[in-house]
Amino acid sequence: MTSSTTIADPAEALSLGRRIMILIAVMLGSTLYATTLLIASTLLPQMQGAMSATQDEIAWVMTFNILATAVVTPMTGWMVARFGRRNVMVWSIFAFSVTTLLCGAAESLEMLVLWRILQGGLGAPVIPLSQTILLDSFPKRQAGMVTSIFGMAVVIGPVIGPTVGSLLAELHSWRWAFYMVVPVGLASFIGLRLTLPKDAPTGRTALDWTGFLSLSLSIACVQLMLSRGQRLDWFESEEVVIEALVAALAFYVFIAHSLTSQAPFLNLRLLLDRNYALGLVLVAIYGMLNFTPMVLLPPLLQQHAGFPDSIIGEVIAARGVGASIGFFLAIFIGKVDPRIGLIGGFGVQVLSGLWLMSLDLNVDVATLMANSMLQGIAVGVIWVPLTLATFATIDARYLAEGTAVYHLLRNIGSSFFISLCVAEIVRATGTNYGRMVEMVSPFNEALSLPWVMGGWTMDSTAGLARIAREINRQAAMIGYLNAFGLYTLASALAVPAILFVAGKARARNA
């Protein structure tokens, strides 16, 4: 009886102090990714100026980081089997901390993007491993309590991080917002290395390198095409054409190989399950909506509305507060049909999008924080019922593969949609600026009326420069409103798909 109990629940062998240390170290490490992502979003305007980058170029700091995380996350199972769970977790935290330090020290846009890619890729295993390690380190009777504590820490981190990071950026520079994360990462590294029990690599999981490399190449080429297309005039550019051809060819290789291989990198046959297939569509839309406002709002607020970094950090932090409220609401909503929570959550996203579309450059902080909190509530409400509905009918033996694809599409949706929105802002700003400046001319009789021009004047170079700046602000605002319109449309498109999700489906027996 004693041996069977030990085998069933090996966590009993760990002392209480060691379990608490593991809990603290894991919570510190797991909150780093979300916190760093939100901090980076508030720093985009400062980094853009420091790196002399355009808006679409500085967005690479976010998109390629998310993309690297998306590509590497499905490799977690193989890495754990090859190197052991303790080694993967500990050294992922260490590598994440080092690359965060290098992000703060970067002297060029190219180096900053490179370190952000490595930061996302090397830190990717931390998220899927965190909760697994905690559940294995505590007795099963304490699983609910541990999950709640862990969930609270994950939610609080994104609230505190942007606020403190933006304050440091305003007092010193954007680099210090990255530097402040490093001690936390190193503390997590030391704690995990000292407390996590050693485990031997199993070496039994083989990685399908053909599937992994072809998918990674396809995704990377599509991301490059979306990121550079607007500046290079899309398919008028030889580079964009080559990227599109390589992406198509690599994706064809991935699909053909996945359908014919006995052990593919991602099992496409899972798409035959209706709930799972619809869940992937919805989680891709969820990803599209999750980070996009956090990337678009900081440049708009600082460069065109004149907000300081500290205020922008508070606006982003309000989203974290809303997410906390949303997660608590999801606990009660989860007791009923998950479709109710999904429709409610995406419906709130639509409302927040319509609200964003009504803003102008005279918007006040209270309105921005209220809208950001509303977005956070929607994000928190959607996640739990979406996960429950997606995996309700998947056999237990396919959960690992299914979860990998689930998180992959969430991150890809974020990366691709951010690039599309930024491209639309750049396009609309240039187009509308060109149209509006045509109207500023001595031959426009309407401008000769004193109540039309007000304090503006075309009699001097300085006056024309002020008019040009104002036209650029208004043209950019139109671009942002178009991007918010895409955000609202994506939110609305999710609702019809939810209607086809099976309600209280039971999981099939393994």
Side-chain angles (χ1 to χ4, degrees), residues 209-229:
W209 286 102
T210 302
F212 169 69
L213 292 175
S214 59
L215 179 61
S216 301
L217 181 60
S218 178
I219 292 173
C221 287
V222 172
Q223 182 64 63
L224 279 171
M225 186 176 69
L226 293 174
S227 299
R228 293 177 58 78

Side-chain angles (χ1 to χ4, degrees), residues 1-15 19 85 132-144 146 197:
M1 175 70 80
T2 304
S3 68
S4 65
T5 303
T6 303
I7 294 173
D9 200 355
E12 297 285 0
L14 299 175
S15 66
R19 290 179 208 155
R85 185 172 66 183
T132 303
I133 289 174
L134 286 181
L135 292 177
D136 288 347
S137 301
F138 283 79
K140 290 181 172 57
R141 66 179 182 275
Q142 297 176 342
V146 171

